[in-house]
């Protein structure tokens, strides 16, 4: 293994020794961006190094700048295509990559390796994959010398012709902050030139203004770029085009993660999955809304808690790859045979909420099940008596029946999971009042989690442990103990979501005396969401460098919100039990959008932290508006069968 590595590294070092024009090489990111255009690789050729080890060589080229890609791997990938692996590897090694250009040549060589142990790639660590990027395209010309004037020409396209008062203000700001040049452009498609500006490096921003100069809003979907060619700086601005959906999320992984794991699967982030992801975030925001309505002072990590339902679906559903086929046929998440399998008695649908059909703790102590929520009864369609039935007494239990088909519905299924997870929180509070295994630590834990300055932001890990392992499990008892006494468990708290710990190490450092899925699941949820959110710092130790984009078109999000709300019911002022209408849901969404000054924003990107916060704020405000306009609470419960 090391012999192969020395062979490849020797190429880079020999080339590096001949450098005389290294400054003309594109930077590493340019080479990586170009490599990302790769669509196919040739079939591999088998080779053997002097040590007798076999490896495979894939070769390909991009269409943009004649970039040649050589991809060396010790084994042919099985779970992920070689092209996907090349892109992932290219992003992973950028920080440590040498670059070179031969005398009188424009060829630049970039070399990187992926470690087998998941550590940051280096050329001395064990590796199982190497990528070589040979960039032989045109080298960008250098910028004008300092002080030379640069003419700025701007082209703006895509402005809404109906908004005749709109102008776009383009601002160039030098990196040292000393030079700022702004220009405005009326609606329509035009070009104009501003006065000359000093040469240098500038950041580009754009915002929409009214004709009076007041900011109407700052759209998130204005895209800008600029380039320098000779003595002219050209700026291209496009308004009204959302960033593309792109990337992937790898799931069904174990810890520590390695790209060679055979259990891992991945789903592409493309428009096929957008509505399903949206529905899970509508439900996830409802999950957070329920908790805040019940315990307003309780703090939690919004990104992880309100995103956990999407991660739960990835981990628990049998085959998420078939969703595009299911989507083409119905509003279900699965097709056969998964559809029927996941509705068998005791299964609980795609989210595996297996105990959906029972009270989660004693009725005498205030115990409830999800059928007790007024919002849920109309869709679930079984009785409270079926929930409470003891089979030996001759009655019919819901547990013995197939699950309601609505659990497979992409709008209701995640909401059912949200209510189940919320009921887990109520259960932990209920059983630990007197007799539960965490009766001495639950109260202090909740008190700590209600202090804004306390570093307790893993509430969703506690609830996910409860869902996955049960409220009497050792892992949840340990988590609650850490939450109750964080200063006595500093090391455990610091490692509670450490992705590099196997079961044995995790038990030693964090505790919990668990193994298998129980010890993995709470961290798996965070791992999948870190991918979706591009949390590269959190994933660096795993060798993953995600570059995902999941824009939520707000018109589609409005539709998904209405469809989701229409699966829930309430008692109106006349005492009639009805589904929430799409009209009421749309009005609630539109009012929330206006109140947050998002009327002119067409999309928000889930993979961008600031825009994700806006998505959560928009959905939470819309949920509050539904409650206010219809005079009910999503947390309301009953002991009556209102739907009959």
């Amino acid at each position: 293994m090391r012999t192969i590595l020395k062979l490849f590294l020797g190429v880079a070092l020999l080339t590096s020794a001949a450098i005389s024009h290294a400054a003309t090489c594109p930077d590493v990111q340019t080479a990586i961006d170009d490599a990302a255009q790769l669509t196919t690789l040739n079939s591999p050729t088998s080779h053997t190094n002097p040590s007798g080890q076999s490896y495979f060589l894939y070769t390909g080229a991009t269409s943009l700048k004649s970039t040649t890609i050589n991809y060396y791997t010790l084994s042919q990938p099985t779970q992920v295509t070689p092209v996907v692996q090349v892109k992932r590897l290219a992003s992973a090694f950028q920080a440590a990559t040498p670059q070179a250009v031969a005398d009188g040549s424009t060829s630049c060589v970039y070399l990187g390796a992926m470690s087998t142990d998941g550590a940051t790639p280096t050329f001395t660590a064990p590796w199982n994959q190497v990528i070589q990027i040979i960039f032989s395209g045109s080298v960008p010309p250098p910028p004008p010398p300092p002080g030379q004037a640069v003419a700025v020409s701007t082209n703006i396209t895509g402005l809404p012709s109906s908004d005749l008062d709109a102008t776009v203000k383009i601002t160039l700001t030098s990196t040292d902050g000393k030079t700022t040049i702004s220009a405005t452009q009326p609606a329509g498609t035009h070009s104009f030139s501003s006065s000359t500006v000093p040469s240098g490096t500038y950041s580009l921003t754009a915002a929409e203004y009214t004709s009076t100069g007041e900011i109407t809003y700052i759209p998130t979907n204005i895209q800008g770029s600029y380039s320098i060619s000779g003595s002219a700086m050209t700026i291209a601005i496009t308004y009204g085009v959302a960033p593309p959906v792109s990337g992937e999320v790898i799931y069904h992984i174990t810890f520590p993660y390695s790209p060679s794991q055979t259990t891992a699967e991945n789903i592409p982030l493309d428009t096929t999955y957008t509505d399903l992801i949206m529905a899970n975030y509508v439900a996830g925001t409802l999950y957070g809304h329920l908790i805040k309505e019940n315990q307003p002072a309780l703090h939690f990590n919004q990104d992880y808690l309100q995103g956990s339902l999407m991660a739960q679906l990835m981990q628990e559903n049998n085959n998420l790859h078939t969703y595009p086929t299911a989507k083409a046929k119905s509003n279900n998440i699965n097709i056969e045979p998964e559809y029927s399998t996941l509705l068998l008695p005791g299964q609980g649908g795609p989210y595996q909420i297996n105990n959906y059909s029972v009270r989660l703790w004693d009725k005498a102590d205030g115990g409830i099940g999800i059928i007790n929520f007024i919002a849920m009864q109309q869709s679930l369609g079984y009785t409270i008596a079926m929930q409470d039935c003891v089979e030996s007494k001759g009655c019919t239990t819901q547990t013995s029946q197939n699950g309601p088909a609505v659990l497979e519905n992409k709008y209701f299924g995640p909401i059912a999971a949200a209510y189940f997870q919320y009921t887990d929180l109520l259960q932990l509070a209920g059983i630990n009042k007197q007799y539960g295994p965490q009766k001495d630590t639950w109260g202090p834990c909740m008190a700590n989690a209600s202090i804004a300055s306390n570093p307790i932001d893993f509430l969703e890990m506690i609830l996910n442990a409860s869902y996955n392992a049960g409220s009497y499990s050792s892992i949840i008892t340990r988590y609650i103990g850490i939450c109750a006494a964080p200063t006595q468990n500093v090391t455990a708290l610091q490692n509670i979501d450490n992705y590099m710990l196997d079961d044995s190490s995790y038990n030693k450092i964090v505790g919990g005396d668990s193994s298998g899925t129980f010890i993995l699941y709470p961290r798996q949820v965070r791992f999948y969401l870190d991918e979706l959110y591009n949390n590269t710092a959190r994933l660096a130790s795993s060798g993953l460098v995600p570059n995902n984009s999941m824009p939520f078109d707000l018109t589609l999000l409005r539709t998904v919100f209405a469809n989701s709300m229409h699966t829930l019911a309430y008692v109106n002022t006349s005492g009639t039990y009805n589904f929430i209408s799409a009209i009421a849901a749309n009005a609630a969404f539109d009012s929330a959008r206006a109140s947050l000054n998002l009327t002119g924003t067409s999309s928000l990107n889930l993979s961008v932290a600031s825009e994700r916060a806006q998505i959560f704020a928009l959905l939470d405000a819309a949920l509050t508006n539904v409650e206010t306009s219809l005079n009910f609470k999503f947390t309301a419960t009953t002991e009556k069968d209102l739907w009959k």
Side-chain angles (χ1 to χ4, degrees), residues 469-631:
S471 57
Y472 285 78
S473 64
S474 58
I475 187 67
I476 191 174
T477 299
R478 179 58 180 144
Y479 281 176
I480 293 172
I482 295 170
C483 171
T487 57
Q488 286 79 49
N489 294 279
V490 174
T491 300
L493 183 60
Q494 291 172 340
N495 288 277
I496 199 165
D497 59 355
N498 189 329
Y499 300 149
M500 299 309 296
L501 300 180
D502 59 19
D503 287 5
S504 176
S505 300
Y506 195 82
N507 279 321
K508 183 183 295 184
I509 296 172
V510 179
D513 192 27
S514 296
S515 62
T517 60
F518 296 161
I519 207 168
L520 296 174
Y521 181 74
R523 285 181 291 161
Q524 287 170 325
V525 168
R526 287 199 164 192
F527 189 95
Y528 305 159
L529 295 175
D530 280 335
E531 291 182 77
L532 187 56
Y533 300 156
N534 292 325
N535 287 339
T536 53
R538 297 251 317 125
L539 295 170
S541 60
S542 300
L544 281 180
V545 184
N547 185 26
N548 290 323
S549 177
M550 178 45 64
F552 279 9
D553 177 272
L554 297 191
T555 300
L556 177 58
L557 183 60
R558 179 180 187 261
T559 299
V560 171
F561 180 80
N563 289 343
S564 299
M565 291 298 100
H566 192 49
T567 67
L568 302 178
Y570 73 108
V571 178
N572 65 20
T573 54
S574 300
T576 305
Y577 187 53
N578 292 317
F579 282 114
I580 297 171
S581 71
I583 294 174
N586 283 332
F589 187 92
D590 292 342
S591 177
R593 189 173 179 180
S595 70
L596 296 172
N597 295 319
L598 293 172
T599 304
T601 301
S602 61
S603 73
L604 294 169
N605 200 323
L606 186 69
S607 299
V608 177
S610 60
E611 297 182 35
R612 184 165 61 252
Q614 289 179 291
I615 292 171
F616 288 141
L618 172 60
L619 292 173
D620 190 64
L623 291 168
T624 298
N625 290 343
V626 170
E627 290 180 314
T628 301
S629 64
L630 300 180
N631 193 31

Side-chain angles (χ1 to χ4, degrees), residues 334-341:
N334 288 298
I335 58 174
E336 295 292 357
E338 287 84 5
Y339 175 89
S340 295
T341 300

